[in-house]
Amino acid sequence: MGKLSGKYAIVTGGGKGIGETIVNRFLVDGIEGVAVLEYDGKLLEQLISDLGEVGDKVLPIQCDVSNEAQVKTAVAQAVERFGSVDILVNNAGITRDSMFHKMADDAWDAVVNVNLKGPYHLCKYVIPIMRNQAYGRIVNISSVSAFGNAGQANYAASKAGLIGFTKTLAKEGGPKNIIVNCVAPGYIETDMYNNVPQEIITEHMKLIPLRRLGQPNEVASAVSFLASDDASFISGQCLIISGGATT
Ligand code: NDP
């Protein structure tokens, strides 16, 4: 019996990076079924093939979280296959970095639409299910950039918005046994991190007491804890996962 036994989850952006690692961690922790909503169909094919037999527990759904109609359909598919959604992880996220005075409108819109409106779409269709069953665990993936990071005004605004969204949903959902938390990772070694210029990483490393970057499994373990009943009296929190770095 794992700590997620008997539970069904939706994980967005689960085709690679932190999201893929969360899916794998959920499977290790005994999840009954997990719908993976991912933009890139090829990543989904690869995920299922990499998982082998345990891939039977995974429902791959190609979906752009910024598109409400696609999210509505995807949540319906997950419910049709699994019968419920107990856990939602809003992980899909993108960056389009530039200094604010040079930032194009479409860079602002793209980031806010995926990182903040995406979780809004998911919650819009998942929270009624959780309210009906009087059980839900939502984990949103924010970022330490929420506290301010030059070159990321769009990303920081979206991730800070996600913290306020989390804390509000926690207050509203509590009476229905819906627990909502977020994590705010620092630099984690994934494809997203590959976009960050080396000189920024070198400078940033000096501010990390552990003197190294984080790994996706170090985020996934915290997400699995917050999604489980081990965290049954923790709600509305933002757990910073940054090797001790303060912002
Ligand atoms: P990756 O870029 O490695 O993975 C993100 C995944 O989300 C990709 O599979 C991507 O698909 C998918 N995705 C992007 N846009 C959409 C969309 N519109 N709909 C559905 N899926 C989408 O990023 P990470 O794993 O590094 O990041 C995961 C989360 O963690 C993000 O929210 C990020 O902001 C956050 N985070 C990451 C940090 C880091 O240092 N890596 C630090 C702090 C927070 P595709 O490849 O096709 O775009």
Side-chain angles (χ1 to χ4, degrees):
M1 283 275 286
K3 64 175 183 277
L4 301 179
S5 294
K7 299 290 190 281
Y8 296 99
I10 289 178
V11 177
T12 70
K16 67 174 184 181
I18 294 169
E20 180 185 14
T21 312
I22 291 168
V23 171
N24 277 294
R25 178 66 194 230
F26 277 11
L27 289 164
V28 167
D29 287 338
I31 198 95
E32 211 58 45
V34 52
V36 178
L37 276 54
E38 167 61 54
Y39 190 68
D40 183 341
K42 288 210 174 69
L43 288 177
L44 286 173
E45 282 170 25
Q46 188 61 50
L47 176 73
I48 297 298
S49 126
D50 290 349
L51 285 170
E53 255 179 46
V54 79
D56 290 351
K57 293 189 167 191
V58 174
L59 174 64
I61 304 175
Q62 193 167 2
C63 173
D64 174 355
V65 297
S66 69
N67 182 314
E68 179 171 352
Q70 288 185 24
V71 170
K72 186 179 179 186
T73 304
V75 172
Q77 282 178 264
V79 171
E80 193 184 342
R81 162 85 181 266
F82 297 134
S84 90
V85 181
D86 303 301
I87 297 165
L88 167 64
V89 181
N90 281 307
N91 165 78
I94 60 168
T95 53
R96 296 283 184 278
D97 295 351
S98 76
M99 294 297 279
F100 181 67
H101 62 278
K102 296 180 188 165
M103 189 172 285
D105 288 350
D106 61 358
W108 177 275
D109 290 343
V111 167
V112 171
N113 283 341
V114 175
N115 297 7
L116 187 56
K117 205 154 186 199
Y120 160 73
H121 290 147
L122 265 299
C123 288
K124 180 171 175 178
Y125 292 102
V126 166
I127 284 179
I129 298 165
M130 291 179 167
R131 288 183 70 86
N132 274 339
Q133 66 197 15
Y135 185 96
R137 302 284 183 266
I138 300 173
V139 185
N140 294 319
I141 313 297
S142 181
S143 165
V144 291
S145 295
F147 309 110
N149 197 20
Q152 289 198 313
N154 50 357
Y155 185 77
S158 70
K159 294 298 189 180
L162 208 44
I163 295 174
F165 187 52
T166 298
K167 289 178 180 289
T168 301
L169 294 185
K171 289 192 171 173
E172 292 181 2
K176 284 285 187 184
N177 193 25
I178 299 170
I179 286 176
V180 191
N181 290 290
C182 66
V183 297
Y187 281 122
I188 308 297
E189 280 192 280
T190 66
D191 284 358
M192 178 177 280
Y193 145 91
N194 288 338
N195 297 331
V196 180
Q198 187 55 48
E199 61 271 22
I200 293 182
I201 293 165
T202 306
E203 276 311 298
H204 188 80
M205 287 270 254
K206 295 177 192 161
L207 304 173
I208 305 174
L210 286 177
R211 296 286 185 271
R212 65 175 178 84
L213 302 172
Q215 296 303 313
N217 66 305
E218 294 175 307
V219 178
S221 55
V223 171
S224 187
F225 164 69
L226 290 171
S228 78
D229 289 336
D230 285 349
S232 53
F233 205 52
I234 301 172
S235 197
Q237 301 306 303
C238 179
L239 180 62
I240 297 174
I241 304 172
S242 64
T246 51
T247 53

